[in-house]
Amino acid sequence: MRINQFGKAVMLLAAASVTTEVWADERSAEAKGEQRDRRQGDIVVTGRSLATDEIASPLPVRVLAGDQLAHRRQGGLGETLAGLPGVHLDNFGGGASRPVIRGQTLPRIEVLTDGANLFDVSSISPDHAITTDPLLLDAIEIQRGPAAIRNGGNATNGAINLIDSKVPKAVPANGVTGATEVRFGTGDEEKTVVGRVTAGVGQFAVHAEAARRAAEDYDIPGSYGSDKLRDSFARSTSYSVGASWITSKGYIGAAYSRVESKYGLPGHSHINGVCHAHGLDLHCATQGGFDDPFGGPDSHTAYIKLKSDRTDVRADYDDLLPGFSHVRLRGSYTDYAHDEVDGELLFSRFTNEVWDGRLELTHKPVLGFSGTLGLQYTNGAFGGINVNNRHKPFPNGAYGFDGSPDYRTDNIGVFLTERRSFGAVDIEAAVRKDWRRIDVGAPPWRSTVGPELEGLLGEWYGADWKQVLESQDVARFRTRNPTVRHNPFSASIGGTWNVGQGYALALSYGHTERGPGVRELYARGNNLATNSYELGLAVGNPILNEAGRAAEDVMETTDAVNLTLRRVGGPLEFEVGLFYQNVDDYLFARLIETETETGIPHNFLIYTAAEARFMGIDGQVSYRFTPQSQVTVFGDYVDAKLKKEHDNLPRIPPGRLGARYEHSAGPLTGDLEYFHTFGQSKVASYETRTGGYDMLNATLSYRLNVGQDRAVEFYVRGTNLLNELAFAHTSFVKDQSPLRGRSVAFGMRHVF
């Protein structure tokens, strides 16, 4: 079926979501003393939009929770959320998947954990996993558009808030609550075990949780040439322990968490590790000082081995300070590292050590306005890009740098949100200002020269020749890796007109500024995961230099308008959102050339800035025939354009349209979901067209109550039941990493 863009847009006005709409105070019920006692499994939403319980937010916010989350959960966040209206998938096998919201993924989406930033390296490259385990989450909140303005420029296209129970917010009413889950999947031989428990005495509560998941290479349709996707395996272990002191006015607590995982990189090749650039010309052959850092066959399994340790301090308290109704504290320390291994060779190691603190003060009403003043400070040291030869020892008879540079970031941000109701119209506004500085620390300098060369160097440079040569190398290094400062400013304003009878019309405008990230600034070498050689903005970028601009002159600036029409209550409910984004200095990797000398194409990409425009529609329409029966139609569509360019933006998701039928009969519930993803023919110069595909999923569950606040659920969920060979156009490695084939997951959940 062929549908033009206008036809798609009209059809997609009927878009839908399986998620639960929540319009709640940012503090939600967990900050209210009368709701301190909760049983395990209750969903507490935090890090919210700016609305109170009585005021509906004009900003699009959705929550995936309860059975819907439990049945949809996969090993990665992107796979878990894929299929929701406006959310697509950037996949890299079974171990790494990132969500794509309204056409964009990280670093234009911020991932939060209970309202605090989640620090890993998933924004650096698509093969890097987001360090969260969906199996241990209570809910996932998706804030689209200006709803995430308080989180800064990296939330241009939204924020995803991961709701967990690591730090208890309530003392269990019966002293102890908990949950367990086991599941098995046929498509990848998945074996999963999950357990969690919260216990309380007096005003203290402790929490412990753990999850273990092991999955082999997943099934794909045989028409791909194989019935298994090689190197798509994924194994992970996660655990956390936390404790809190809880009163009628709030709580303060801390938690320690560890995530470990090992997963394969489908389609990975190291043969292009020899590629290097001469100006705007890419060479992929050994010459001069450039050689193959591997020197062996290209048939080994490549994988990532990851470990992340994190400590969180969280507090929410009512009426702690005069003039303020609520105080919120979020502090964290993250120590992240992962190794990239090819066979037995360690070719790269990424690290990220970050201290972060956020304090929010919600003031009491002033002239009818209530709002929150916030301060955030972040200090981090990142390392790993541009290095693909960690397995090679420092050579004898040489001198120079040995190791990876440290990219050190200091960021201070302040933000203010305000809200007020004027009769049937509710108004919200938010502003945020950041001051960010990135310094690049040179790697350690060392020498292994022998006595003869040491004598010559002493004659040429004097007795302190080591200090002289090191200072010269450091000076050249700083010239090639300059300090970069950006001071972005973001603001939004929105209003909701509550028409009556459940109808509401919401309009919001957001202005967002985003400074370039570390890879966009300092990339200068091969990214073997994406088969590309990349050059950043701050390392002698010839396109930027020709335009007479420096890296500090480039600030991605987005002006966005969101219009949302919704209806709640009654058998017919819907939410349809339209958005328009105009972006100045949109940062993207421009293709310079594709080198095929090794037999495997390698793209030469230079980060540059251009003018871009995004527009689209997403949403839902649901109709409940009876209290037990409901049908939902959902979909989304994004149109992206590079202004003044003879090219398209890469990895823009195609349109999608689908329907879902849900039915319950006592303890038995089920749903059947079908959607069609259209083909994508508007492709960038180094992309190929992606065909459309059909997806059929189904879920059946049976809940057995075994006592007060105790239940056992048995469920089975089938995905891609048509066994379609499907490729995600949003993926960097779409041709090497098709989506999963037919799979059936069997699970049992126990809540007590």
Side-chain angles (χ1 to χ4, degrees):
M1 180 173 58
R2 298 174 60 90
I3 301 178
N4 60 30
Q5 292 183 0
F6 177 78
K8 292 180 186 177
V10 172
M11 292 179 64
L12 295 175
L13 281 169
S17 166
V18 300
T19 55
T20 304
E21 293 295 340
V22 178
W23 310 103
D25 188 311
E26 62 180 320
R27 296 181 287 120
S28 254
E30 86 276 14
K32 301 176 181 178
E34 68 272 15
Q35 298 189 29
R36 290 292 167 194
D37 292 334
R38 297 181 177 272
R39 64 179 179 87
Q40 189 77 17
D42 285 355
I43 302 304
V44 178
V45 180
T46 60
R48 293 293 320 181
S49 68
L50 312 182
T52 65
D53 293 335
E54 292 77 27
I55 301 177
S57 169
L59 309 176
V61 180
R62 301 181 185 275
V63 175
L64 180 65
D67 292 343
Q68 296 166 352
L69 172 60
H71 298 158
R72 297 180 64 95
R73 286 184 299 203
Q74 298 283 350
L77 184 62
E79 282 192 289
T80 298
L81 298 178
L84 301 181
V87 184
H88 286 251
L89 166 69
D90 169 12
N91 76 308
F92 213 108
S97 63
R98 307 186 299 181
V100 178
I101 298 179
R102 290 183 166 177
Q104 296 295 305
T105 185
L106 282 68
R108 296 178 179 88
I109 298 172
E110 191 68 79
V111 181
L112 310 170
T113 171
D114 200 61
N117 297 72
L118 180 71
F119 295 101
D120 49 31
V121 297
S122 55
S123 64
I124 299 297
S125 184
D127 60 315
H128 299 169
I130 297 174
T131 54
T132 187
D133 194 333
L135 295 164
L136 294 174
L137 297 178
D138 296 328
I140 302 175
E141 180 186 73
I142 305 170
Q143 304 174 348
R144 296 170 298 158
I149 206 78
R150 63 191 301 167
N151 297 303
N154 283 354
T156 298
N157 263 54
I160 296 175
N161 193 23
L162 311 174
I163 311 301
D164 58 52
S165 300
K166 293 189 296 186
V167 177
K169 300 178 177 67
V171 177
N174 297 321
V176 178
T177 62
T180 61
E181 181 174 355
V182 294
R183 55 188 275 173
F184 174 79
T186 63
D188 55 4
E189 300 179 46
E190 176 198 2
K191 303 175 186 68
T192 295
V193 179
V194 185
R196 47 195 262 171
V197 62
T198 304
V201 176
Q203 292 183 307
F204 295 92
V206 295
H207 177 84
E209 61 186 28
R212 170 66 178 168
R213 181 178 183 272
E216 304 304 319
D217 293 344
Y218 62 69
D219 290 350
I220 52 176
S223 56
Y224 184 70
S226 172
D227 59 0
K228 293 279 187 180
L229 179 61
R230 184 189 172 198
D231 298 338
S232 61
F233 65 88
R235 295 149 199 160
S236 64
T237 301
S238 304
Y239 62 85
S240 178
V241 291
S244 296
W245 174 54
I246 302 165
T247 74
S248 60
K249 289 189 175 183
Y251 73 93
I252 181 169
Y256 166 77
S257 307
R258 168 170 283 193
V259 177
E260 297 178 353
S261 67
K262 179 180 178 180
Y263 58 90
L265 302 176
H268 170 83
S269 172
H270 70 234
I271 197 171
N272 286 322
V274 70
C275 296
H276 55 280
H278 296 284
L280 293 178
D281 191 16
L282 185 67
H283 288 260
C284 290
T286 300
Q287 64 177 134
F290 301 101
D291 61 2
D292 183 356
F294 295 89
D298 200 23
S299 57
H300 296 300
T301 291
Y303 63 90
I304 284 179
K305 188 175 182 180
L306 177 156
K307 182 177 73 173
S308 178
D309 293 295
R310 180 179 171 111
T311 300
D312 284 279
V313 176
R314 301 174 181 172
D316 282 278
Y317 228 84
D318 291 330
D319 300 320
L320 182 65
L321 299 174
F324 295 95
S325 59
H326 188 73
V327 175
R328 163 173 286 184
L329 173 68
R330 295 292 184 268
S332 67
Y333 168 72
T334 304
D335 185 8
Y336 172 99
H338 84 237
D339 290 341
E340 302 189 357
V341 183
D342 193 316
E344 297 181 353
L345 301 179
L346 169 66
F347 65 91
S348 186
R349 173 174 291 154
F350 284 79
T351 61
N352 201 26
E353 185 178 13
V354 184
W355 295 87
D356 179 71
R358 178 190 289 241
L359 178 65
E360 301 181 12
L361 303 173
T362 300
H363 66 78
K364 295 181 178 179
V366 177
L367 300 178
F369 287 90
S370 58
T372 299
L373 174 65
L375 172 67
Q376 183 178 4
Y377 174 71
T378 306
N379 177 270
F382 162 82
I385 64 172
N386 306 330
V387 178
N388 291 304
N389 60 351
R390 290 294 296 263
H391 59 284
K392 298 184 70 173
F394 193 82
N396 290 325
Y399 57 86
F401 295 126
D402 181 20
S404 175
D406 281 333
Y407 301 85
R408 299 165 184 154
T409 300
D410 273 290
N411 192 96
I412 297 175
V414 295
F415 57 90
L416 176 66
T417 66
E418 293 292 338
R419 58 184 176 268
R420 185 178 176 182
S421 179
F422 296 88
V425 178
D426 308 319
I427 301 296
E428 300 180 20
V431 294
R432 175 165 175 140
K433 178 68 176 179
D434 286 87
W435 294 266
R436 191 194 72 179
R437 170 183 171 132
I438 301 179
D439 290 301
V440 187
W445 193 95
R446 61 178 299 198
S447 168
T448 59
V449 301
E452 183 176 348
L453 182 55
E454 187 172 347
L456 289 175
L457 292 172
E459 292 179 9
W460 296 340
Y461 297 101
D464 57 348
W465 62 270
K466 290 185 179 180
Q467 291 81 359
V468 173
L469 292 179
E470 180 179 359
S471 64
Q472 291 178 356
D473 285 348
V474 169
R476 284 192 292 267
F477 177 88
R478 295 197 182 283
T479 300
R480 292 164 61 97
N481 298 274
T483 295
V484 177
R485 300 173 179 84
H486 285 96
N487 303 323
F489 172 79
S490 300
S492 70
I493 186 169
T496 299
W497 177 28
N498 300 292
V499 181
Q501 297 183 334
Y503 290 93
L505 181 66
L507 179 66
S508 64
Y509 164 77
H511 172 87
T512 306
E513 296 178 352
R514 183 182 76 88
V518 170
R519 180 174 287 279
E520 293 165 319
L521 287 169
Y522 299 108
R524 194 185 187 97
N526 291 302
N527 185 347
L528 299 182
T530 58
N531 290 318
S532 60
Y533 183 95
E534 302 174 6
L535 189 66
L537 296 167
V539 290
N541 188 305
I543 296 178
L544 209 61
N545 293 343
E546 184 178 348
R549 305 181 70 188
E552 290 188 344
D553 300 329
V554 179
M555 181 88 77
E556 187 175 278
T557 304
T558 302
D559 292 289
V561 177
N562 288 263
L563 179 64
T564 304
L565 176 64
R566 61 176 173 261
R567 184 182 190 274
V568 295
L572 177 66
E573 295 187 327
F574 58 81
E575 179 186 338
V576 178
L578 295 95
F579 64 93
Y580 179 89
Q581 298 176 345
N582 186 74
V583 191
D584 291 331
D585 278 347
Y586 182 82
L587 298 172
F588 74 106
R590 183 195 301 275
L591 177 70
I592 302 302
E593 69 166 308
T594 299
E595 178 60 65
T596 59
E597 190 170 354
T598 65
I600 295 180
H602 206 61
N603 294 319
F604 185 15
L605 305 176
I606 295 183
Y607 285 97
T608 187
E611 296 181 23
R613 183 267 295 154
F614 294 81
M615 59 187 301
I617 183 172
D618 50 45
Q620 68 172 19
V621 175
S622 298
Y623 186 81
R624 185 172 294 280
F625 298 100
T626 69
Q628 296 79 30
S629 181
Q630 176 178 278
V631 66
T632 302
V633 180
F634 60 92
D636 51 64
Y637 177 73
V638 176
D639 180 62
K641 181 179 181 181
L642 268 177
K643 300 180 180 179
K644 304 177 183 178
E645 301 281 337
H646 299 291
D647 200 0
N648 292 311
L649 284 169
R651 295 175 297 280
I652 300 300
R656 180 174 52 192
L657 186 65
R660 179 182 307 101
Y661 177 73
E662 301 166 83
H663 186 80
S664 62
L668 187 67
T669 62
D671 66 71
L672 182 67
E673 174 187 78
Y674 163 82
F675 63 85
H676 177 74
T677 299
F678 297 92
Q680 180 59 282
S681 58
K682 292 185 63 176
V683 298
S685 55
Y686 58 95
E687 292 183 308
T688 58
R689 296 186 178 188
T690 303
Y693 59 87
D694 298 301
M695 195 64 65
L696 181 66
N697 306 318
T699 306
L700 186 66
S701 67
Y702 182 84
R703 184 180 299 273
L704 178 65
N705 292 321
V706 293
Q708 184 178 7
D709 294 335
R710 296 171 181 262
V712 176
E713 182 198 44
F714 300 90
Y715 67 88
V716 56
R717 177 169 173 81
T719 55
N720 195 3
L721 295 175
L722 301 176
N723 202 33
E724 285 251 349
L725 179 60
F727 299 90
H729 186 76
T730 48
S731 173
F732 280 76
V733 289
K734 66 164 187 175
D735 295 323
Q736 299 102 300
S737 184
L739 300 178
R740 297 174 184 269
R742 183 185 296 116
S743 182
V744 180
F746 301 89
M748 181 186 73
R749 301 163 59 208
H750 177 213
V751 178
F752 61 90

